[in-house]
Amino acid sequence: AARWLASRRAQRRIGVAVRRFTTSDATEDEYGRMDDAGQTHYFDEFRLESGKVIKNAQIRYKTFGTLNEAADNCIVICHALTGNASVDEWWAPLLGPKKLFDTDKYFVFCANILGSCYGSSGPNSINPDTNERYGMAFPSVSMRDSVRSHMEVVSALGVKNIKFTLGGSLGGMQALEWGLIGGPSLVSSVVAIACGARHTAWQIAISEVQRACIMRDPTWNGGHGKALNGLGLARQLAMISYRSHSAYDSKFGRGLSKEAAKEHGDTDTCISSGVVPHFNVEGYLQYQDQKFLSRFDAASYVRCTQIMDTHDVGRDRGGIEKALSQLTQPTLVIGFDGDILYPLEEQRELAGLIPNSKLCEISSAAGHDAFLLEYEAISEACGSFLDDVGLA
């Protein structure tokens, strides 16, 4: 079941149907086909918060639907850590006529973040000062830098108002910054899913271990090498944090991989025979490791996790409480009870500090990746919220 709680003022509950995940759903891949498809917006230069400048910067983006004459029917969808602009791939069930991201009604915009490897400027880009790949010489980018770059693209497209901005995980962090930086004059409402007000020590620690896996790979070479072994290990660690204890236990238990089971029978027989078992869950993580190597880059992974670590809505705004009090637009905060990476206490804090917010708590075995997989519950929760605030 899903629980709805209004922040601070009225406390009420509204029933929301939730699709319960099967054990196989809870460990399916969260993304579809991943590439750098889209249109490109070019900057002669883009100045970062730090004062550093990215010359010949570019942002890869996709749009769906048509901008109306009033230029006020835009919605902005923000992707997560290793996502791209192709919301039609990783949130396909939500995009299209009569769906949450209704392309008959809305002009849908999604852009790849700075520092990534799906078309926007990042470590794989060519440094115009050296005519070589940036690698780790690519400047450190903040969450606000990336959001500001996307805002400039939206402005260049002629958008005057955004009905809502929505994202999960790193995308939710971006959505909060859209609301704060853009203000009510640009952004009418915000939907932040599976994120918090700032990256905590818990999340920074998990990111740091993943970066250490990459940087200790002997082929890392300061970001100029592929570091495939390190990148694969980082992905394995990430996949553990993205799921839940119950999802792993229900799906894999202590079963052997298909190859081991064929050769040795069951787990007990394998161990009793003095053979080190190859568990099914090991095979799953190794598969995710190898699959990830075909679609992401080590230096981009390091930079993107560092971007996440810059997330703190209270920085230079007088702290979290003061900053969130300034987010006056209607805001929906969604969290999942099985999320160990961004636990419900973080969404409860957000909703408690944003004055015009509602909190929706969804029960799911899918862990953190429920923000990608629980699309039916998300669609219903968002639809109800948008109806309530008159933006549907």
Side-chain angles (χ1 to χ4, degrees):
R3 294 195 304 151
W4 280 69
L5 301 171
S7 73
R8 281 187 175 176
R9 301 169 187 170
Q11 292 267 339
R12 65 194 182 101
R13 298 189 184 202
I14 304 172
V16 178
V18 178
R19 181 171 78 92
R20 291 303 305 169
F21 265 68
T22 66
T23 54
S24 59
D25 287 332
T27 47
E28 284 298 315
D29 297 336
E30 72 277 28
Y31 288 110
R33 180 175 57 88
M34 298 295 293
D35 57 30
D36 62 358
Q39 299 169 274
T40 307
H41 179 91
Y42 297 94
F43 300 85
D44 290 335
E45 59 178 38
F46 183 78
R47 186 171 297 276
L48 304 173
E49 279 192 278
S50 64
K52 293 181 180 179
V53 170
I54 303 175
K55 298 177 182 177
N56 302 332
Q58 62 184 53
I59 294 293
R60 187 66 45 83
Y61 68 95
K62 276 188 170 186
T63 64
F64 309 86
T66 304
L67 187 65
N68 63 13
E69 288 188 15
D72 65 355
N73 68 327
C74 180
I75 63 173
V76 173
I77 311 303
C78 306
H79 72 72
L81 176 62
T82 64
N84 62 2
S86 297
V87 64
D88 52 322
E89 288 289 335
W90 42 267
W91 252 347
L94 299 180
L95 179 72
K98 311 302 181 186
K99 298 181 179 180
L100 179 61
F101 310 146
D102 190 339
T103 48
D104 287 342
K105 182 190 298 185
Y106 300 123
F107 178 63
V108 183
F109 172 89
C110 184
N112 187 223
I113 63 170
L114 284 172
S116 186
C117 55
Y118 288 122
S120 292
S121 294
N124 278 329
S125 302
I126 299 301
N127 183 342
D129 292 334
T130 64
N131 289 320
E132 296 179 351
R133 180 178 173 274
Y134 272 106
M136 291 308 290
F138 187 76
S140 295
V141 174
S142 73
M143 190 73 66
R144 296 177 195 175
D145 287 327
S146 193
V147 169
R148 285 191 303 104
S149 71
H150 293 177
M151 282 185 171
E152 292 199 27
V153 179
V154 166
S155 177
L157 292 173
V159 172
K160 290 184 169 50
N161 180 261
I162 296 164
K163 291 294 184 187
F164 64 90
T165 180
L166 179 152
S169 193
L170 182 146
M173 302 170 202
Q174 294 177 72
L176 291 170
E177 286 295 346
W178 272 91
L180 287 164
I181 298 171
S185 61
L186 177 64
V187 179
S188 296
S189 63
V190 174
V191 180
I193 307 172
C195 69
R198 74 293 200 204
H199 233 216
T200 65
W202 168 250
Q203 292 129 10
I204 293 168
I206 291 172
S207 294
E208 171 55 21
V209 175
Q210 293 177 63
R211 289 190 290 264
C213 288
I214 293 170
M215 292 179 175
R216 293 185 185 186
D217 187 307
T219 67
W220 166 241
N221 190 25
H224 293 287
K226 292 187 176 181
L228 295 180
N229 287 334
L231 180 60
L233 288 173
R235 182 60 171 176
Q236 288 194 40
L237 177 60
M239 292 304 296
I240 296 170
S241 71
Y242 294 159
R243 308 298 181 168
S244 68
H245 177 280
S246 61
Y248 271 91
D249 194 50
S250 298
K251 174 66 175 177
F252 303 112
R254 289 179 51 78
L256 298 178
S257 65
K258 289 182 179 179
E259 295 77 10
K262 189 178 295 183
E263 184 174 354
H264 302 292
D266 60 24
T267 305
D268 291 350
T269 302
C270 184
I271 294 173
S272 298
S273 302
V275 176
V276 176
H278 186 256
F279 291 105
N280 197 10
V281 68
E282 295 178 85
Y284 167 76
L285 291 172
Q286 290 159 6
Y287 165 76
Q288 291 294 339
D289 168 333
Q290 293 302 304
K291 181 180 178 184
F292 191 62
L293 301 183
S294 67
R295 76 170 185 87
F296 219 80
D297 167 73
S300 293
Y301 197 84
V302 169
R303 274 289 181 252
C304 287
T305 58
Q306 290 171 336
I307 290 171
M308 292 182 81
D309 289 349
T310 72
H311 173 57
D312 180 357
V313 297
R315 178 174 59 86
D316 297 331
R317 291 177 177 142
I320 288 171
E321 186 168 353
K322 184 175 180 180
L324 292 176
S325 72
Q326 297 165 10
L327 186 60
T328 57
Q329 302 97 310
T331 299
L332 174 62
V333 181
I334 299 178
F336 304 96
D337 64 359
D339 189 345
I340 62 170
L341 186 56
Y342 297 90
L344 274 174
E345 63 196 67
E346 298 198 13
Q347 290 87 61
R348 290 168 181 164
E349 178 187 49
L350 276 176
L353 294 175
I354 298 171
N356 190 15
S357 71
K358 292 179 180 177
L359 171 65
C360 179
E361 299 182 0
I362 297 174
S363 180
S364 173
H368 179 60
D369 270 351
F371 83 90
L372 287 167
L373 299 170
E374 289 277 18
Y375 51 83
E376 290 181 4
I378 289 170
S379 180
E380 188 159 355
C382 291
S384 178
F385 165 75
L386 294 171
D387 280 338
D388 283 353
V389 298
L391 290 171

